[in-house]
Coordinates of all heavy atoms in Angstrom, one line a residue:
M148 N 11.6 5.2 27.5 CA 10.9 4.7 26.3 C 9.9 5.9 25.9 O 9.5 6.6 26.7 CB 10.1 3.5 26.7 CG 10.9 2.3 27.0 SD 11.9 1.7 25.6 CE 13.0 0.6 26.4
I149 N 9.6 5.8 24.6 CA 8.7 6.9 24.1 C 7.4 6.1 23.7 O 7.4 5.1 23.0 CB 9.3 7.5 22.8 CG1 10.7 8.1 23.1 CG2 8.4 8.5 22.2 CD1 11.5 8.5 21.9
A150 N 6.3 6.7 24.2 CA 5.0 6.1 24.0 C 4.4 6.6 22.7 O 4.6 7.8 22.3 CB 4.1 6.5 25.2
W151 N 3.8 5.8 22.0 CA 3.1 6.2 20.8 C 1.9 7.1 21.1 O 1.3 7.0 22.2 CB 2.5 4.9 20.0 CG 1.7 5.4 18.9 CD1 0.3 5.5 18.8 CD2 2.2 5.8 17.6 NE1 -0.1 5.9 17.5 CE2 1.1 6.2 16.8 CE3 3.4 6.0 17.1 CZ2 1.2 6.7 15.5 CZ3 3.6 6.5 15.8 CH2 2.4 6.9 15.0
D152 N 1.7 8.1 20.3 CA 0.6 9.1 20.6 C -0.2 9.2 19.3 O 0.3 9.6 18.2 CB 1.3 10.4 20.9 CG 0.2 11.5 21.2 OD1 -1.0 11.3 20.9 OD2 0.6 12.5 21.8
D153 N -1.5 8.8 19.4 CA -2.3 8.8 18.2 C -2.5 10.2 17.6 O -3.0 10.3 16.5 CB -3.7 8.2 18.5 CG -3.7 6.7 18.5 OD1 -2.8 6.1 18.0 OD2 -4.8 6.2 19.0
S154 N -2.1 11.3 18.3 CA -2.2 12.6 17.8 C -1.3 12.8 16.6 O -1.5 13.8 15.8 CB -1.9 13.7 18.8 OG -0.6 13.7 19.1
I155 N -0.3 11.9 16.4 CA 0.5 12.1 15.2 C 0.2 11.2 14.1 O 0.9 11.1 13.1 CB 2.0 11.9 15.6 CG1 2.3 10.5 16.0 CG2 2.5 12.9 16.6 CD1 3.8 10.1 16.1
L156 N -1.0 10.5 14.2 CA -1.5 9.7 13.1 C -1.7 10.6 11.9 O -2.3 11.7 12.0 CB -2.8 9.0 13.5 CG -2.6 7.7 14.3 CD1 -4.0 7.3 14.9 CD2 -1.9 6.6 13.6
T157 N -1.3 10.1 10.7 CA -1.5 10.9 9.5 C -2.8 10.5 8.7 O -3.2 11.2 7.9 CB -0.3 10.7 8.5 OG1 -0.3 9.4 8.1 CG2 1.0 11.1 9.2
G158 N -3.2 9.3 9.0 CA -4.4 8.7 8.3 C -3.9 8.0 7.0 O -4.7 7.5 6.3
I159 N -2.6 8.0 6.8 CA -2.1 7.2 5.6 C -1.5 6.0 6.2 O -0.4 6.1 7.0 CB -1.0 8.1 4.9 CG1 -1.7 9.4 4.4 CG2 -0.4 7.3 3.7 CD1 -0.7 10.4 3.9
A160 N -2.1 4.8 5.9 CA -1.7 3.6 6.6 C -0.2 3.3 6.6 O 0.4 2.9 7.6 CB -2.5 2.5 6.1
G161 N 0.4 3.4 5.4 CA 1.8 3.1 5.2 C 2.7 4.0 6.0 O 3.7 3.6 6.6
V162 N 2.4 5.3 6.0 CA 3.2 6.3 6.8 C 3.0 6.0 8.3 O 4.0 6.0 9.0 CB 2.7 7.7 6.4 CG1 3.4 8.7 7.3 CG2 3.1 8.0 5.0
D163 N 1.8 5.8 8.7 CA 1.6 5.5 10.1 C 2.3 4.3 10.6 O 2.9 4.2 11.7 CB 0.1 5.5 10.5 CG -0.6 6.8 10.3 OD1 0.1 7.8 10.5 OD2 -1.8 6.9 10.0
A164 N 2.2 3.2 9.7 CA 2.9 2.0 10.1 C 4.4 2.2 10.1 O 5.1 1.7 11.1 CB 2.6 0.9 9.0
D165 N 5.0 3.0 9.2 CA 6.4 3.3 9.3 C 6.7 4.1 10.6 O 7.8 3.8 11.2 CB 6.8 4.2 8.1 CG 7.1 3.4 6.8 OD1 6.9 2.2 6.8 OD2 7.5 4.1 5.8
H166 N 5.9 5.1 10.9 CA 6.2 5.9 12.1 C 6.2 5.0 13.3 O 7.0 5.1 14.2 CB 5.2 7.0 12.2 CG 5.4 8.1 11.2 ND1 4.4 9.0 11.0 CD2 6.4 8.4 10.4 CE1 4.9 9.9 10.0 NE2 6.1 9.5 9.7
K167 N 5.3 4.0 13.4 CA 5.2 3.1 14.5 C 6.4 2.2 14.5 O 7.0 2.0 15.6 CB 3.9 2.3 14.5 CG 2.7 3.1 14.9 CD 1.4 2.3 14.8 CE 0.2 3.2 15.2 NZ -1.1 2.5 15.1
A168 N 6.9 1.8 13.4 CA 8.1 0.9 13.3 C 9.3 1.7 13.7 O 10.2 1.2 14.4 CB 8.2 0.4 11.8
I169 N 9.4 3.0 13.3 CA 10.5 3.8 13.7 C 10.5 3.9 15.3 O 11.6 3.8 15.9 CB 10.5 5.2 13.1 CG1 10.8 5.1 11.6 CG2 11.4 6.2 13.8 CD1 10.5 6.4 10.8
L170 N 9.3 4.2 15.8 CA 9.3 4.3 17.3 C 9.7 3.0 18.0 O 10.4 3.1 19.0 CB 7.8 4.7 17.7 CG 7.7 5.0 19.2 CD1 8.5 6.1 19.6 CD2 6.2 5.3 19.5
E171 N 9.3 1.9 17.4 CA 9.7 0.6 18.0 C 11.2 0.4 18.0 O 11.8 0.0 18.9 CB 9.0 -0.6 17.3 CG 7.6 -0.6 17.6 CD 6.8 -1.7 16.7 OE1 7.5 -2.5 16.1 OE2 5.6 -1.7 16.8
T172 N 11.9 0.9 16.9 CA 13.3 0.7 16.8 C 14.0 1.7 17.7 O 15.1 1.4 18.3 CB 13.9 0.9 15.3 OG1 13.6 2.2 14.9 CG2 13.3 -0.2 14.4
I173 N 13.4 2.9 17.8 CA 14.0 3.9 18.8 C 13.9 3.3 20.2 O 14.9 3.3 21.0 CB 13.3 5.2 18.7 CG1 13.6 5.9 17.4 CG2 13.7 6.1 19.9 CD1 12.7 7.1 17.1
N174 N 12.8 2.8 20.6 CA 12.6 2.2 21.9 C 13.5 1.0 22.1 O 14.0 0.8 23.2 CB 11.1 1.9 22.2 CG 10.3 3.1 22.5 OD1 10.9 4.1 23.0 ND2 9.0 3.0 22.2
A175 N 13.7 0.2 21.1 CA 14.6 -0.9 21.2 C 16.0 -0.4 21.5 O 16.8 -1.0 22.3 CB 14.6 -1.8 19.9
F176 N 16.4 0.6 20.8 CA 17.8 1.2 21.0 C 17.9 1.7 22.4 O 18.8 1.4 23.1 CB 18.0 2.3 20.0 CG 19.3 3.1 20.3 CD1 20.5 2.5 20.1 CD2 19.2 4.5 20.6 CE1 21.7 3.2 20.4 CE2 20.3 5.2 20.8 CZ 21.6 4.6 20.7
I177 N 16.9 2.5 22.9 CA 16.9 3.1 24.2 C 16.9 1.9 25.2 O 17.7 1.9 26.2 CB 15.6 3.9 24.5 CG1 15.7 5.2 23.7 CG2 15.5 4.2 26.0 CD1 14.4 6.0 23.6
G178 N 16.1 0.8 24.9 CA 16.1 -0.3 25.8 C 17.5 -1.0 26.0 O 17.9 -1.4 27.0
A179 N 18.2 -1.1 24.8 CA 19.5 -1.7 24.8 C 20.5 -0.9 25.7 O 21.2 -1.4 26.4 CB 20.0 -1.9 23.4
V180 N 20.4 0.4 25.5 CA 21.3 1.3 26.3 C 21.0 1.2 27.7 O 21.8 1.0 28.6 CB 21.2 2.8 25.8 CG1 21.9 3.7 26.7 CG2 21.7 2.9 24.3
E181 N 19.7 1.3 28.1 CA 19.2 1.4 29.5 C 19.5 0.0 30.1 O 19.8 0.0 31.4 CB 17.8 1.7 29.6 CG 17.5 3.2 29.3 CD 16.1 3.6 29.5 OE1 15.2 2.7 29.6 OE2 15.8 4.8 29.5
A182 N 19.5 -1.1 29.4 CA 19.8 -2.4 30.0 C 21.3 -2.7 30.1 O 21.7 -3.7 30.7 CB 19.1 -3.4 29.1
G183 N 22.1 -1.7 29.6 CA 23.5 -1.9 29.7 C 24.0 -3.0 28.8 O 25.0 -3.7 29.1
A184 N 23.4 -3.2 27.7 CA 23.7 -4.2 26.7 C 25.1 -3.9 26.2 O 25.6 -2.8 26.3 CB 22.7 -4.2 25.6
G185 N 25.8 -4.9 25.7 CA 27.1 -4.8 25.1 C 27.1 -3.9 23.9 O 26.1 -3.6 23.3
A186 N 28.3 -3.5 23.6 CA 28.5 -2.5 22.5 C 27.9 -3.1 21.2 O 27.3 -2.4 20.4 CB 30.0 -2.2 22.3
A187 N 28.1 -4.4 20.9 CA 27.6 -5.0 19.6 C 26.1 -4.9 19.6 O 25.5 -4.6 18.5 CB 28.1 -6.4 19.5
Q188 N 25.5 -5.2 20.7 CA 24.0 -5.2 20.7 C 23.5 -3.7 20.6 O 22.5 -3.5 19.9 CB 23.5 -5.8 22.1 CG 22.0 -6.2 22.0 CD 21.6 -6.9 23.3 OE1 22.4 -7.4 24.1 NE2 20.3 -7.1 23.4
V189 N 24.1 -2.8 21.3 CA 23.7 -1.4 21.2 C 23.9 -0.9 19.8 O 23.1 -0.2 19.2 CB 24.4 -0.5 22.2 CG1 24.2 1.0 22.0 CG2 24.1 -0.9 23.6
H190 N 25.1 -1.2 19.2 CA 25.4 -0.8 17.8 C 24.4 -1.4 16.9 O 23.9 -0.7 16.0 CB 26.8 -1.3 17.5 CG 27.2 -0.8 16.2 ND1 27.2 -1.6 15.0 CD2 27.8 0.4 15.8 CE1 27.7 -0.9 14.0 NE2 28.0 0.3 14.4
G191 N 24.0 -2.7 17.1 CA 23.0 -3.3 16.2 C 21.7 -2.6 16.3 O 21.0 -2.4 15.3
A192 N 21.3 -2.3 17.5 CA 20.0 -1.6 17.7 C 20.0 -0.2 17.0 O 19.0 0.2 16.4 CB 19.7 -1.5 19.2
F193 N 21.1 0.5 17.2 CA 21.3 1.8 16.6 C 21.1 1.7 15.0 O 20.5 2.4 14.4 CB 22.6 2.5 16.9 CG 22.7 3.8 16.3 CD1 22.1 4.9 17.0 CD2 23.4 4.0 15.1 CE1 22.2 6.2 16.4 CE2 23.5 5.3 14.6 CZ 22.9 6.4 15.3
R194 N 21.8 0.7 14.5 CA 21.8 0.5 13.0 C 20.4 0.2 12.5 O 20.0 0.6 11.4 CB 22.9 -0.5 12.5 CG 24.3 -0.1 12.7 CD 24.6 1.1 11.9 NE 26.0 1.6 12.0 CZ 26.4 2.8 11.9 NH1 25.5 3.8 11.6 NH2 27.6 3.1 12.1
R195 N 19.7 -0.7 13.2 CA 18.3 -1.0 12.8 C 17.4 0.3 12.9 O 16.7 0.5 11.9 CB 17.7 -2.1 13.7 CG 18.3 -3.5 13.4 CD 17.6 -4.6 14.1 NE 17.9 -4.6 15.6 CZ 19.0 -5.1 16.1 NH1 19.9 -5.7 15.3 NH2 19.3 -5.0 17.4
M196 N 17.6 1.1 13.9 CA 16.9 2.3 14.0 C 17.2 3.2 12.8 O 16.4 3.8 12.2 CB 17.2 3.0 15.3 CG 16.6 4.4 15.5 SD 17.1 5.1 17.1 CE 18.8 5.6 16.6
E197 N 18.5 3.4 12.5 CA 19.0 4.3 11.5 C 18.5 3.8 10.2 O 18.0 4.7 9.4 CB 20.5 4.2 11.5 CG 21.2 5.2 10.7 CD 22.7 5.1 10.8 OE1 23.3 4.0 10.8 OE2 23.3 6.2 11.0
R198 N 18.6 2.5 9.9 CA 18.0 2.1 8.6 C 16.5 2.3 8.4 O 16.1 2.7 7.3 CB 18.3 0.5 8.4 CG 19.7 0.2 8.0 CD 19.9 -1.2 7.5 NE 19.4 -2.2 8.5 CZ 20.3 -2.7 9.5 NH1 21.5 -2.3 9.5 NH2 19.8 -3.5 10.4
C199 N 15.8 2.1 9.5 CA 14.4 2.3 9.5 C 14.0 3.8 9.2 O 13.1 4.1 8.4 CB 13.8 1.9 10.8 SG 12.0 1.7 10.9
I200 N 14.8 4.6 9.8 CA 14.5 6.1 9.6 C 14.9 6.5 8.2 O 14.2 7.2 7.5 CB 15.3 6.9 10.7 CG1 14.7 6.7 12.1 CG2 15.3 8.4 10.3 CD1 15.5 7.3 13.2
Y201 N 16.1 6.1 7.8 CA 16.6 6.4 6.4 C 15.6 6.0 5.3 O 15.2 6.8 4.4 CB 17.9 5.8 6.1 CG 19.2 6.5 6.7 CD1 20.2 5.8 7.2 CD2 19.3 7.9 6.6 CE1 21.3 6.4 7.8 CE2 20.4 8.5 7.1 CZ 21.4 7.8 7.7 OH 22.5 8.4 8.2
R202 N 15.2 4.8 5.4 CA 14.3 4.2 4.4 C 12.9 5.0 4.4 O 12.4 5.4 3.4 CB 14.0 2.7 4.7 CG 13.2 2.0 3.6 CD 12.6 0.7 4.1 NE 11.6 0.9 5.2 CZ 10.4 1.4 5.0 NH1 10.0 1.7 3.8 NH2 9.6 1.5 6.1
H203 N 12.4 5.3 5.6 CA 11.1 6.0 5.7 C 11.3 7.4 5.2 O 10.3 7.9 4.4 CB 10.6 6.0 7.2 CG 9.5 6.9 7.3 ND1 8.2 6.6 6.8 CD2 9.4 8.2 7.9 CE1 7.4 7.7 7.0 NE2 8.1 8.6 7.7
L204 N 12.3 8.1 5.5 CA 12.4 9.5 5.1 C 12.5 9.5 3.5 O 11.9 10.4 2.9 CB 13.6 10.2 5.7 CG 13.6 10.3 7.2 CD1 14.8 11.2 7.6 CD2 12.3 10.9 7.7
E205 N 13.2 8.6 2.9 CA 13.3 8.6 1.5 C 12.0 8.3 0.9 O 11.6 9.0 -0.1 CB 14.3 7.5 1.1 CG 14.7 7.5 -0.4 CD 15.7 6.5 -0.8 OE1 16.5 6.1 0.1 OE2 15.8 6.2 -1.9
V206 N 11.3 7.3 1.4 CA 9.9 7.0 0.9 C 9.0 8.2 1.0 O 8.3 8.6 0.1 CB 9.3 5.8 1.6 CG1 7.9 5.6 1.3 CG2 10.1 4.5 1.2
E207 N 9.0 8.8 2.2 CA 8.1 9.9 2.5 C 8.4 11.1 1.6 O 7.5 11.8 1.1 CB 8.3 10.3 4.0 CG 7.2 11.3 4.4 CD 7.4 11.6 5.9 OE1 8.2 12.4 6.3 OE2 6.7 10.8 6.7
E208 N 9.7 11.4 1.3 CA 10.0 12.6 0.5 C 9.5 12.3 -1.0 O 9.0 13.2 -1.6 CB 11.5 12.8 0.5 CG 12.0 13.4 1.8 CD 13.5 13.5 1.9 OE1 14.2 13.3 0.9 OE2 13.9 13.8 3.1
H209 N 9.7 11.1 -1.4 CA 9.2 10.8 -2.8 C 7.7 10.9 -2.8 O 7.1 11.4 -3.8 CB 9.6 9.4 -3.2 CG 11.0 9.3 -3.7 ND1 12.0 8.7 -2.9 CD2 11.7 9.8 -4.8 CE1 13.2 8.8 -3.5 NE2 13.0 9.5 -4.7
M210 N 7.0 10.4 -1.8 CA 5.6 10.5 -1.7 C 5.1 11.9 -1.7 O 4.1 12.3 -2.5 CB 5.1 9.7 -0.5 CG 3.6 9.6 -0.4 SD 3.1 8.9 1.2 CE 3.5 10.2 2.3
L211 N 5.6 12.7 -0.9 CA 5.2 14.1 -0.8 C 5.4 14.9 -2.1 O 4.6 15.6 -2.5 CB 6.0 14.8 0.4 CG 5.7 14.4 1.8 CD1 6.6 15.1 2.8 CD2 4.2 14.5 2.1
A212 N 6.6 14.6 -2.8 CA 6.9 15.3 -4.0 C 5.9 14.8 -5.1 O 5.3 15.6 -5.9 CB 8.3 15.0 -4.5
A213 N 5.6 13.5 -5.1 CA 4.6 12.9 -6.1 C 3.2 13.5 -5.9 O 2.5 13.7 -6.9 CB 4.6 11.4 -6.0
L214 N 2.9 13.8 -4.7 CA 1.6 14.3 -4.4 C 1.5 15.8 -4.6 O 0.4 16.5 -4.6 CB 1.2 14.1 -2.9 CG 0.9 12.6 -2.6 CD1 0.8 12.4 -1.1 CD2 -0.3 12.1 -3.3
G215 N 2.7 16.5 -4.8 CA 2.7 17.9 -5.0 C 2.4 18.7 -3.8 O 2.0 19.8 -3.8
Y216 N 2.8 18.1 -2.6 CA 2.6 18.7 -1.3 C 3.4 20.0 -1.3 O 4.6 20.0 -1.6 CB 3.1 17.8 -0.2 CG 3.0 18.3 1.2 CD1 1.9 18.9 1.7 CD2 4.2 18.3 2.0 CE1 1.9 19.4 3.0 CE2 4.2 18.8 3.2 CZ 3.0 19.4 3.7 OH 3.0 19.9 5.0
V217 N 2.8 21.1 -0.9 CA 3.4 22.4 -1.0 C 4.6 22.6 0.0 O 5.5 23.3 -0.1 CB 2.5 23.6 -0.8 CG1 1.5 23.7 -2.0 CG2 1.7 23.5 0.5
G218 N 4.5 21.8 1.1 CA 5.5 21.9 2.2 C 6.6 20.9 2.0 O 7.4 20.7 2.9
T219 N 6.7 20.3 0.8 CA 7.8 19.2 0.6 C 9.2 19.7 0.9 O 9.9 19.1 1.6 CB 7.7 18.7 -0.9 OG1 6.4 18.1 -1.1 CG2 8.7 17.7 -1.1
A220 N 9.5 20.9 0.4 CA 10.9 21.4 0.6 C 11.2 21.7 2.1 O 12.2 21.3 2.6 CB 11.1 22.7 -0.2
D221 N 10.2 22.3 2.8 CA 10.4 22.5 4.2 C 10.5 21.1 5.0 O 11.3 21.0 5.9 CB 9.2 23.3 4.8 CG 9.2 24.7 4.4 OD1 10.3 25.2 3.9 OD2 8.2 25.4 4.6
H222 N 9.7 20.2 4.6 CA 9.7 18.9 5.2 C 11.0 18.2 5.0 O 11.6 17.6 5.9 CB 8.5 18.0 4.8 CG 8.1 17.0 5.7 ND1 7.4 17.2 6.9 CD2 8.4 15.6 5.7 CE1 7.2 16.1 7.5 NE2 7.8 15.1 6.9
K223 N 11.5 18.3 3.7 CA 12.8 17.7 3.4 C 13.9 18.4 4.2 O 14.8 17.7 4.7 CB 13.0 17.8 1.9 CG 14.2 17.0 1.4 CD 14.4 17.0 -0.1 CE 15.6 16.2 -0.4 NZ 15.7 16.0 -1.9
G224 N 13.8 19.7 4.4 CA 14.7 20.4 5.3 C 14.7 19.8 6.7 O 15.8 19.7 7.3
A225 N 13.5 19.6 7.2 CA 13.4 19.0 8.6 C 14.1 17.6 8.6 O 14.8 17.2 9.6 CB 12.0 18.9 9.0
H226 N 13.9 16.8 7.5 CA 14.5 15.5 7.4 C 16.0 15.6 7.5 O 16.7 14.9 8.1 CB 14.1 14.8 6.2 CG 12.7 14.3 6.2 ND1 12.1 13.6 5.2 CD2 11.7 14.3 7.2 CE1 10.9 13.3 5.5 NE2 10.6 13.6 6.7
E227 N 16.5 16.6 6.7 CA 18.0 16.8 6.7 C 18.6 17.1 8.0 O 19.6 16.6 8.4 CB 18.3 17.8 5.6 CG 18.2 17.3 4.2 CD 18.2 18.3 3.1 OE1 18.5 19.5 3.4 OE2 18.0 18.0 2.0
S228 N 17.8 18.0 8.8 CA 18.3 18.3 10.1 C 18.3 17.0 11.0 O 19.3 16.8 11.8 CB 17.4 19.3 10.8 OG 17.4 20.5 10.1
L229 N 17.3 16.2 10.9 CA 17.2 15.0 11.6 C 18.3 14.1 11.3 O 19.0 13.5 12.2 CB 15.9 14.3 11.4 CG 15.7 12.9 12.0 CD1 15.7 13.0 13.5 CD2 14.4 12.3 11.5
L230 N 18.6 14.0 10.0 CA 19.8 13.1 9.6 C 21.1 13.6 10.1 O 22.0 12.8 10.4 CB 19.7 13.0 8.0 CG 18.5 12.2 7.4 CD1 18.5 12.2 5.9 CD2 18.4 10.8 8.0
E231 N 21.3 14.9 10.1 CA 22.5 15.4 10.7 C 22.6 15.1 12.2 O 23.7 14.7 12.6 CB 22.5 17.0 10.6 CG 22.9 17.4 9.1 CD 22.9 18.9 9.0 OE1 23.0 19.6 9.9 OE2 22.6 19.4 7.8
E232 N 21.5 15.2 12.9 CA 21.5 14.8 14.3 C 21.8 13.3 14.5 O 22.7 12.9 15.3 CB 20.2 15.0 15.0 CG 19.9 16.4 15.4 CD 18.6 16.6 16.2 OE1 18.4 15.8 17.2 OE2 17.8 17.4 15.8
L233 N 21.2 12.5 13.6 CA 21.5 11.1 13.6 C 23.0 10.8 13.4 O 23.6 9.9 14.0 CB 20.6 10.4 12.6 CG 20.2 8.9 12.8 CD1 19.6 8.6 14.1 CD2 19.2 8.5 11.7
A234 N 23.5 11.4 12.4 CA 24.9 11.2 12.1 C 25.8 11.6 13.2 O 26.8 11.0 13.5 CB 25.3 12.0 10.8
G235 N 25.4 12.6 14.0 CA 26.2 13.1 15.1 C 26.2 12.1 16.2 O 27.1 12.0 17.0
I236 N 25.1 11.3 16.3 CA 25.0 10.3 17.4 C 26.0 9.2 17.0 O 26.7 8.6 17.9 CB 23.6 9.7 17.5 CG1 22.6 10.9 18.0 CG2 23.5 8.6 18.5 CD1 21.1 10.5 18.0
Ligands
LIG68 FE1 7.5 10.5 8.5

């Protein structure tokens, strides 16, 4: 399991709530795997994690662009790498 770490708080309530929700879905997925849950349960946990991540990344990219954040392109690149990893899983 992955523990939440306040050092990654952004100070933006919606973003922090999303990040915590993502962590919860990741831990639920890990929990399902570690518990030896059936394929359907593991698959379901993975899909919930995946949807949570996809939704958040899309929202975050729009938010960063709307704010004119100078690191938007780099951050979007990091998201794309993450999505490739996720697709590989
Ligand atoms: Fe994020």
